[in-house]
Amino acid sequence: MNAMRYFRHPGSDGQRQYEVLRACFLERLPAPIVAERFQLTAGNVRVLRHRFKQGLLTFSFRPSDAPGARRGTSAEVRARILQMRREHPVSAGQIAEILDEEGVEINVRTVERILREAGLPRLPRRTRLAIGQTLDRTTVPDTSRKLASHELKGRSVSSDIAGIFLFIPFLEQLGIPKLLSSLGLPGSKPIPALQYALSFLALKLAGTERLSHTDDHNFDEGLGLFAGLNVLPKCTAMSTYAYSLDRKTIDSLQGGVVTAGHRLGLYQSPTINLDFHATPHWGDESVLDKNWVGTRSKGIKSALTVFAQDSTSKLIMYSQSDLRRSEADEQIHEFVAFWKKIARSVSPTLVFDSRFTNYRQLAKLDQQDVRFITLRRRGRTLIRRAEALPASAWSRVSIDHPKRKFRRPLVNESRVRLPGFPREIRQIIMRDNGHEKPTFLITNDDQSPIAVLVSRYAQRWNIENGIAEAVKFFSLNALSSPILVKVHFDVVLTMIADTLYYLIARRLRGFEECNAPKIFRHFIHGKGQISIGVDEIVVRFPRRAHNPVIRSLDWTQLPDRVSWLGDRRLRFVWA
């Protein structure tokens, strides 16, 4: 054997690392020279030196490393491997680690071969908790499951968001638990469909930004009890649930909630606002269409959602996210068909901007006697004609909107023809309304006064404000997936949560016009104790500044039974 070659050209990685470090520390050679000698890079040499100084490299020499030595595993080591497997359910990797600590170096594959030859099968895949590899003093949350009837009696838990139980009477008033049970939603044996849906709703009501943040509530037994569970499901269960849904089921859920809201008189406005919202998606392999996003002033890949809003209550009464950009123009007819099923007719005036649909679709609305107010797409020619009108052609109207800065704009009324529209249509041009250029309104409402029409269109900003609130508190822009059905499910849950916040806010004296974030901050978010008796659920709230407001609410006018918790009576107690 050539001794010089043996040391200058090591045959194994371990020997090479040893010789590299010896040259660095004993011969004090610089990294570039050592790298050239052992066919490495200077960076590799520096990394080896650093790891050696940190104690991350160890070297040992066994007799089997010598040329011609007998290779194999001794009978003592074999017996030790089999003993460990028979006494404890440890994997081959764990056995190799234990033997290494005992001074016996052995490969994991060798351990697997010895176990296989002895007729011992591989262990099934287990969690870190089952293996026992969790950190010391780590509290592991319970696995989510439905609470049995015998587990409810005598149960007493606390919650950091105890105010979420205030929504239960309104859930029962809308009939949502019964609706969820009748839809045939997917579920599992430990977590039935109703409990899954209530878990999603609990996260929405709590303002949880993403499903991945579900783990923030892993130990909140009160939130779990709200859904009829010991704790809320974990992130994986929540994230994958919506993939089992279909559009028909989600539309049925939305239709049931809106029907209940219509029965309670929540949608009584003479105007319905419509608008699109594009929720951006930043995935590298997104298959979504590019849509215009106003906040970024450009078109980006996003999920396009259509919203309809009652102008008076400002409630979202319709949404649809499972649509493509090419289907956008026809969405107004989808809403008309939806609303006719709910209210039997479309008596309110539909208000939307110029990009919502085209003139051909407006002609179809006119044929159905559906009134609308929208903007006319203006060009330079239209603007020049408007600016050339004499002063006598303009008149002032008053807009009944106390918070509006420009309440007395100049208007000019005329009748015009539009491409694709079969007859002349009413046009109203506005000036002195806060915009540099004139605004062109077109409508098929030939009876209402100009001031009423202008006022109705001015309230279209309510839907943009409502969408902005949903983005901020209900995290509407936190797109959970490029799968549009999943996005649609999230949007419908947002609509339900928004309705529940409205129902509770309109009963709070002095807070009737407050938005969801303020109601959550003052009344929902806060500690509380929930105790369950034989026929009663008692929620106790500590002393807080706004307790007198919520205590004064007449709870006797609302349902007081919780159908999914043994039909027990719900009672609130404030300190």
Side-chain angles (χ1 to χ4, degrees):
M1 181 176 65
N2 188 332
M4 182 67 72
R5 181 174 180 80
Y6 179 80
F7 290 103
R8 287 296 182 106
H9 303 283
S12 66
D13 291 338
Q15 184 189 353
R16 177 179 296 180
Q17 292 175 357
Y18 175 82
E19 295 296 340
V20 166
L21 295 172
R22 189 178 186 282
C24 290
F25 294 111
L26 289 184
E27 300 180 31
R28 297 183 178 277
L29 296 177
I33 296 177
V34 177
E36 183 180 357
R37 176 186 294 182
F38 294 99
Q39 298 179 353
L40 298 171
T41 64
N44 294 143
V45 175
R46 295 189 187 96
V47 170
L48 285 173
R49 289 193 310 199
H50 173 75
R51 296 190 64 191
F52 182 73
K53 288 179 179 179
Q54 296 296 321
L56 301 177
L57 287 178
T58 56
F59 305 98
S60 62
F61 298 93
R62 299 173 296 171
S64 59
D65 292 331
R70 179 181 177 274
R71 297 180 180 273
T73 307
S74 64
E76 292 81 2
V77 173
R78 286 175 172 270
R80 176 71 175 134
I81 291 172
L82 298 178
Q83 177 190 7
M84 282 190 284
R85 168 55 67 84
R86 291 187 177 114
E87 291 180 354
H88 306 285
V90 288
S91 64
Q94 290 175 294
I95 292 174
E97 291 177 3
I98 294 172
L99 290 175
D100 183 66
E101 293 175 359
E102 295 176 356
V104 179
E105 293 192 13
I106 189 170
N107 190 280
V108 176
R109 298 289 175 261
T110 303
V111 176
E112 291 177 347
R113 177 176 54 80
I114 293 172
L115 293 173
R116 187 169 57 252
E117 291 173 352
L120 298 174
R122 295 183 64 176
L123 295 176
R125 187 182 295 274
R126 297 167 295 167
T127 63
R128 294 177 65 86
L129 176 62
I131 296 174
Q133 290 184 344
T134 52
L135 297 175
D136 239 0
R137 302 180 183 86
T138 298
T139 304
V140 180
D142 293 335
T143 301
S144 182
R145 57 179 176 80
K146 182 183 178 182
L147 292 171
S149 56
H150 68 274
E151 295 179 284
L152 292 172
K153 181 181 176 182
R155 191 176 184 85
S156 181
V157 298
S158 62
S159 175
D160 291 333
I161 314 178
I164 199 170
F165 282 82
L166 299 173
F167 291 110
I168 290 181
F170 302 100
L171 279 168
E172 296 287 4
Q173 186 182 40
L174 288 170
I176 289 180
K178 185 178 180 180
L179 173 64
L180 292 172
S181 300
S182 65
L183 289 176
L185 295 169
S188 62
K189 187 175 181 179
I191 309 177
L194 176 61
Q195 277 62 44
Y196 255 126
L198 290 174
S199 298
F200 277 102
L201 192 55
L203 294 178
K204 276 293 177 185
L205 294 170
T208 305
E209 182 177 358
R210 295 179 181 274
L211 292 180
S212 58
H213 298 173
T214 306
D215 294 344
D216 297 343
H217 309 297
N218 276 348
F219 299 97
D220 196 322
E221 295 182 83
L223 276 182
L225 183 60
F226 173 84
L229 304 169
N230 58 336
V231 291
L232 291 180
K234 306 303 182 290
C235 172
T236 302
M238 300 291 277
S239 300
T240 57
Y241 176 80
Y243 295 128
S244 303
L245 297 172
D246 55 58
R247 176 173 173 174
K248 183 179 178 181
T249 302
I250 301 173
D251 287 344
S252 298
L253 172 60
Q254 177 175 245
V257 173
V258 175
T259 300
H262 184 261
R263 186 183 67 248
L264 295 176
L266 301 183
Y267 318 117
Q268 297 295 327
S269 174
T271 305
I272 295 176
N273 301 321
L274 295 108
D275 201 2
F276 284 113
H277 175 73
T279 304
H281 184 253
W282 308 108
D284 294 334
E285 299 182 2
S286 176
V287 296
L288 298 177
D289 295 331
K290 279 192 174 183
N291 299 291
W292 178 260
V293 178
T295 55
R296 297 185 176 269
S297 299
K298 63 178 182 179
I300 60 177
K301 288 188 175 182
S302 52
L304 191 63
T305 304
V306 61
F307 288 100
Q309 179 201 53
D310 181 84
S311 184
T312 301
S313 65
K314 303 176 186 178
L315 281 175
I316 300 296
M317 53 197 294
Y318 174 79
S319 66
Q320 183 57 255
S321 299
D322 192 3
L323 59 95
R324 305 301 299 268
R325 183 179 178 183
S326 58
E327 304 167 342
D329 288 341
E330 290 79 21
Q331 287 306 304
I332 192 165
H333 301 297
E334 294 289 334
F335 168 71
V336 169
F338 169 82
W339 190 243
K340 282 183 176 179
K341 291 180 181 178
I342 303 295
R344 306 303 181 207
S345 65
V346 185
S347 56
T349 300
L350 307 184
V351 179
F352 43 89
D353 66 10
S354 61
R355 292 179 176 270
F356 192 80
T357 190
N358 55 45
Y359 294 147
R360 290 190 301 274
Q361 309 307 326
L362 295 182
K364 293 180 181 179
L365 289 179
D366 189 57
Q367 292 171 3
Q368 300 177 55
D369 294 327
V370 177
R371 295 193 303 273
F372 61 83
I373 305 173
T374 185
L375 291 179
R376 183 181 182 184
R377 298 186 182 183
R378 62 190 178 191
R380 294 179 182 178
T381 303
L382 281 178
I383 294 174
R384 281 198 301 267
R385 289 176 182 172
E387 292 174 344
L389 290 173
S392 59
W394 300 90
S395 60
R396 287 199 179 273
V397 295
S398 297
I399 299 177
D400 186 17
H401 197 298
K403 294 184 179 180
R404 188 174 179 85
K405 184 176 181 180
F406 301 92
R407 289 192 288 172
R408 288 181 53 80
L410 285 170
V411 297
N412 171 270
E413 182 179 2
S414 62
R415 300 192 71 84
V416 296
R417 282 197 172 273
L418 302 175
F421 203 86
R423 66 181 181 89
E424 287 188 342
I425 191 169
R426 191 179 184 185
Q427 174 179 272
I428 301 170
I429 309 174
M430 286 193 299
R431 289 172 53 189
D432 292 352
N433 61 341
H435 296 279
E436 181 181 353
K437 298 178 180 180
T439 300
F440 294 77
L441 293 183
I442 52 176
T443 177
N444 64 344
D445 185 351
D446 297 326
Q447 306 300 323
S448 299
I450 295 178
V452 172
L453 297 175
V454 172
S455 178
R456 286 180 178 176
Y457 188 82
Q459 294 177 0
R460 195 189 71 82
W461 294 106
N462 287 337
I463 191 169
E464 298 190 6
N465 294 335
I467 292 173
E469 180 185 325
V471 169
K472 182 178 180 181
F473 183 73
F474 297 115
S475 305
L476 193 63
N477 269 7
L479 192 62
S480 55
S481 169
I483 308 301
L484 294 177
V485 169
K486 189 173 182 181
V487 178
H488 187 29
F489 180 60
D490 184 77
V491 171
V492 171
L493 288 173
T494 298
M495 184 193 76
I496 298 173
D498 179 57
T499 303
L500 291 171
Y501 268 100
Y502 170 79
L503 287 173
I504 195 171
R506 72 172 185 170
R507 291 174 176 265
L508 299 175
R509 185 176 177 83
F511 290 82
E512 294 89 349
E513 299 299 324
C514 290
N515 55 19
K518 183 171 287 188
I519 298 298
F520 176 78
R521 185 169 67 252
H522 291 315
F523 302 102
I524 308 303
H525 188 238
K527 293 184 179 296
Q529 190 72 25
I530 304 98
S531 304
I532 303 181
V534 177
D535 190 46
E536 188 178 54
I537 301 172
V538 181
V539 184
R540 291 182 171 84
F541 298 95
R543 186 176 301 172
R544 294 186 66 184
H546 292 83
N547 278 1
V549 179
I550 192 71
R551 187 190 294 116
S552 63
L553 195 154
D554 189 3
W555 296 99
T556 60
Q557 301 298 318
L558 296 167
D560 62 349
R561 295 282 175 174
V562 188
S563 57
W564 67 92
L565 292 177
D567 206 34
R568 288 175 169 83
R569 178 174 174 266
L570 181 65
R571 183 164 63 91
F572 301 115
V573 177
W574 287 273

